[in-house]
Amino acid sequence: HQRTAAEWYAYADEIEAADPGAAEEVYRHAIEIDSSLAEAHLNLGRLLHASGMVEQALDEYRAARRIDDEDAVTHYNIGVACQDLGNSDDAVAAYERAIELAPRFADAQYNLSTLYEQLGETALAVQHLHAYRDLTEGA
């Protein structure tokens, strides 16, 4: 039988740790079959990001966001990519959206704190650092 996009996605997810290069190709194949598979875009983006292809990763993250705007991890990854590319405004917006969707998202709180610190927004930096600490203490 012909494998579905979901089956290709599951296979890529399974082999990703052992062979990221092969997983990248399999994610791309899953997307060719069904471009509405947000998870495939997200995971492909992660692999591209990890290999230094940040702009291409951002394209995949944004494709995932167009499909599912309610996934906090997608917004977080967009924030990281934007921050890596020096686009602070888009990074702040993405982290804020991730926190709006998942208020207990400690990594988004931390990244937003460091970004606000870099931007000279001390009060906001401290606010998000406290939120991060509240979420991680005793964890």
Side-chain angles (χ1 to χ4, degrees):
H1 98 289
Q2 287 281 61
R3 283 189 179 183
T4 66
E7 289 169 328
W8 283 112
Y9 167 80
Y11 176 62
D13 194 47
E14 186 180 306
I15 66 170
E16 187 177 302
D19 192 347
E24 180 183 326
E25 292 308 310
V26 177
Y27 284 130
R28 288 183 192 280
H29 187 66
I31 291 166
E32 284 175 23
I33 295 169
D34 181 359
S35 64
S36 72
L37 201 59
E39 301 88 355
H41 287 286
L42 186 62
N43 286 8
L44 176 58
R46 259 190 321 91
L47 289 175
L48 293 168
H49 201 154
S51 66
M53 300 170 69
V54 183
E55 289 179 9
Q56 295 90 331
L58 185 54
D59 289 342
E60 293 300 327
Y61 297 151
R62 286 179 171 155
R65 181 183 63 191
R66 283 190 297 276
I67 298 161
D68 180 6
D69 189 48
E70 301 296 310
D71 182 55
V73 172
T74 298
H75 289 279
Y76 172 79
N77 286 0
I78 289 170
V80 173
C82 288
Q83 192 171 1
D84 288 350
L85 292 169
N87 187 339
S88 298
D89 290 344
D90 285 352
V92 166
Y95 291 140
E96 291 280 8
R97 178 70 172 137
I99 292 166
E100 177 185 320
L101 292 166
R104 301 191 55 77
F105 200 147
D107 288 343
Q109 294 281 4
Y110 181 82
N111 285 15
L112 194 51
S113 172
T114 62
L115 186 55
Y116 275 135
E117 184 178 3
Q118 292 166 4
L119 295 171
E121 298 282 352
T122 307
L124 288 169
V126 170
Q127 174 188 334
H128 288 283
L129 184 60
H130 284 305
Y132 168 77
R133 287 186 178 151
D134 288 347
L135 292 169
T136 58
E137 286 178 1

